[in-house]
Amino acid sequence: TLTIEKIFAFAKEVDLADVREVLERQVRYNMAIAEEGLCGNYGANIGKVLLATYGDQDVKVRAKAMAAAGSDARMNGCELPVVINSGSGNQGICATMPVVVFAEENHNTDEELVRALMLSHLTAIYIKQSLGVLSALCGCVVASTGSSCGITYLMGGKYEQVSYAVKNMIANLTGMICDGAKPSCALKLTSGVSTAVLSAMLAMQQKCVSSVEGIIDDDVDKSIHNLTSIGAEAMNETDRKVLEIMTHKS
């Protein structure tokens, strides 16, 4: 019975006293592991490399770097806790850090940040519930779609712009495979967050992939179910092939 419109309305109207504590805890814990990823030596240090290469002046770079750094640490032995989304630490990081970074850049209020995070996480949960527990579709597609909605909200987007952001995400990232939980997940988070920021910016310019293109429908919720039907049903053979490849490496 959920829809993006209902989620958007709830995020705008929910009593902050009911949600602030859990979301602020999420920010605190997930920010801590992202900062640890930037300070320590974890995996390929993707977050570090992004900042060293491009600097920290561009919000798009910082959003990608903080998400990637959290995943770098998470997937390479850091024991700091992470507040998850849909059973996944990486998805929790991906649905949180880009929204937090953008709120800092955009000088949003604490209330706006909390509501944007609520929108991000509920969107991810909504998509994940029809995708199923396990899928060959990478979870960062789901979580970064949530963060794109949160970023759109922080820029002043209404329901229409949020729905545009979702459609732009689905048009771009559908089909990214999951080949297990591992250090290189940080690369996929980077791709997801990059697309999330771009999709939000396009949405705020009233730019949206139309229903004459690919799997996108005029109705945003139908577009989501097109995505999840591909992930839950059509990618079953992909899942089997990925497992075959992984279990027959020489």
Side-chain angles (χ1 to χ4, degrees):
T1 60
L2 275 178
T3 65
I4 291 294
E5 188 170 16
K6 288 179 181 178
I7 290 171
F8 181 78
F10 179 81
K12 283 186 63 180
E13 298 166 5
V14 63
D15 186 342
L16 294 183
D18 293 335
V19 299
R20 185 187 294 276
E21 182 180 357
V22 67
L23 290 171
E24 288 182 344
R25 184 183 300 119
Q26 186 163 52
V27 171
R28 186 166 64 252
Y29 284 139
N30 293 359
M31 177 66 79
I33 197 168
E35 290 176 343
E36 174 63 19
L38 292 177
C39 295
N41 183 26
Y42 295 97
N45 297 126
I46 294 165
K48 272 186 177 180
V49 169
L50 281 167
L51 291 182
T53 304
Y54 299 107
D56 63 355
Q57 299 306 304
D58 189 330
V59 66
K60 297 185 294 295
V61 174
R62 293 202 308 279
K64 291 188 290 186
M66 292 301 285
S71 183
D72 283 331
R74 170 77 170 178
M75 308 309 291
N76 286 279
C78 179
E79 296 183 356
L80 288 174
V82 170
V83 179
I84 65 174
N85 182 293
S86 303
S88 166
N90 277 332
Q91 289 179 58
I93 291 167
C94 189
T96 304
M97 296 316 303
V99 180
V100 173
V101 170
F102 201 92
E104 291 174 348
E105 171 75 15
N106 204 45
H107 303 293
N108 290 101
T109 65
D110 289 343
E111 176 178 343
E112 288 169 336
L113 173 58
V114 170
R115 295 192 185 281
L117 286 169
M118 177 60 61
L119 176 60
S120 174
H121 284 282
L122 288 181
T123 298
I125 291 168
Y126 168 46
I127 299 172
K128 180 66 176 176
Q129 73 173 2
S130 59
L131 185 61
V133 177
L134 292 174
S135 169
L137 182 70
C138 178
C140 86
V141 175
V142 177
S144 58
T145 300
S147 64
S148 187
C149 293
I151 290 168
T152 303
Y153 178 84
L154 291 173
M155 289 194 287
K158 308 303 182 187
Y159 165 70
E160 181 181 37
Q161 287 75 44
V162 167
S163 68
Y164 287 174
V166 172
K167 292 180 187 181
N168 290 337
M169 291 294 293
I170 294 171
N172 194 338
L173 289 183
T174 297
M176 181 185 287
I177 65 166
C178 172
D179 53 345
K182 61 208 177 301
S184 61
C185 287
L187 281 170
K188 295 185 178 184
L189 261 70
T190 302
S191 296
V193 174
S194 178
T195 304
V197 176
L198 174 60
S199 294
M201 290 181 171
L202 287 170
M204 292 304 295
Q205 296 295 321
Q206 298 296 109
K207 304 297 183 182
C208 172
V209 177
S210 72
S211 61
V212 301
E213 302 176 65
I215 64 169
I216 301 304
D217 194 282
D218 286 328
D219 184 285
V220 65
D221 298 290
K222 288 182 180 178
S223 297
I224 287 171
H225 289 296
N226 292 343
L227 163 71
T228 57
S229 67
I230 289 172
E233 300 167 25
M235 292 182 76
N236 284 336
E237 184 58 37
T238 300
D239 202 27
R240 285 188 285 270
K241 178 56 68 174
V242 168
L243 286 170
E244 179 186 324
I245 291 169
M246 291 171 64
T247 55
H248 288 83
K249 291 181 182 179
S250 57

